[in-house]
Amino acid sequence: EGKSWDGVRLVYSHKNPKDQKFKPMPPLHPNAFGVALDKKFFGEGAERLVREFREIGKNQKFIGPKLVAKESRFQMDVSNTDRKEIERFHKTFCDTQERA
């Protein structure tokens, strides 16, 4: 059995310019135990790759809606990168998506 995540995801809030920050959010489905990420990408842009993912329950079956995960085309060694730098990277992406 795989490890579960801590039940918190960080979501970047950019609707209110005075309150732009990463905020902890609970899983979408109350019984979510983890996530399953599709191995194949179904879309790509100049800087991002897109694939489907779903929350899963303890029985490892899909629960909740289909979701979309956007990833950078560029490699980042997250285990050796400062958390603030990782957040800056994603903040820039979110701000760019808001303008697009």
Side-chain angles (χ1 to χ4, degrees):
E1 182 176 318
K3 294 180 180 179
S4 69
W5 92 102
D6 64 8
V8 176
R9 61 193 168 103
L10 292 178
V11 176
Y12 182 68
S13 171
H14 53 85
K15 301 243 184 237
N16 180 353
K18 294 180 181 178
D19 192 32
Q20 293 181 338
K21 62 183 176 182
F22 285 92
K23 296 179 180 180
M25 299 291 286
L28 295 176
H29 194 282
N31 297 326
F33 181 73
V35 295
L37 190 63
D38 197 328
K39 290 182 180 180
K40 295 176 276 180
F41 296 101
F42 72 83
E44 57 184 274
E47 297 180 359
R48 297 285 171 164
L49 301 169
V50 184
R51 58 174 135 189
E52 183 180 295
F53 79 102
R54 302 275 305 268
E55 290 179 329
I56 57 171
K58 286 191 177 189
N59 61 2
Q60 298 184 359
K61 300 218 184 265
F62 295 134
I63 56 176
K66 292 181 179 180
L67 303 166
V68 173
K70 293 183 179 181
E71 301 175 38
S72 173
R73 285 185 169 277
F74 309 104
Q75 294 285 333
M76 180 182 286
D77 182 2
V78 294
S79 61
N80 292 310
T81 304
D82 178 64
R83 181 182 176 95
K84 290 291 182 193
E85 186 177 334
I86 294 169
E87 288 180 2
R88 267 194 305 276
F89 176 82
H90 290 290
K91 177 189 178 301
T92 301
F93 170 73
C94 291
D95 290 341
T96 301
Q97 289 293 299
E98 178 69 15
R99 287 187 220 126

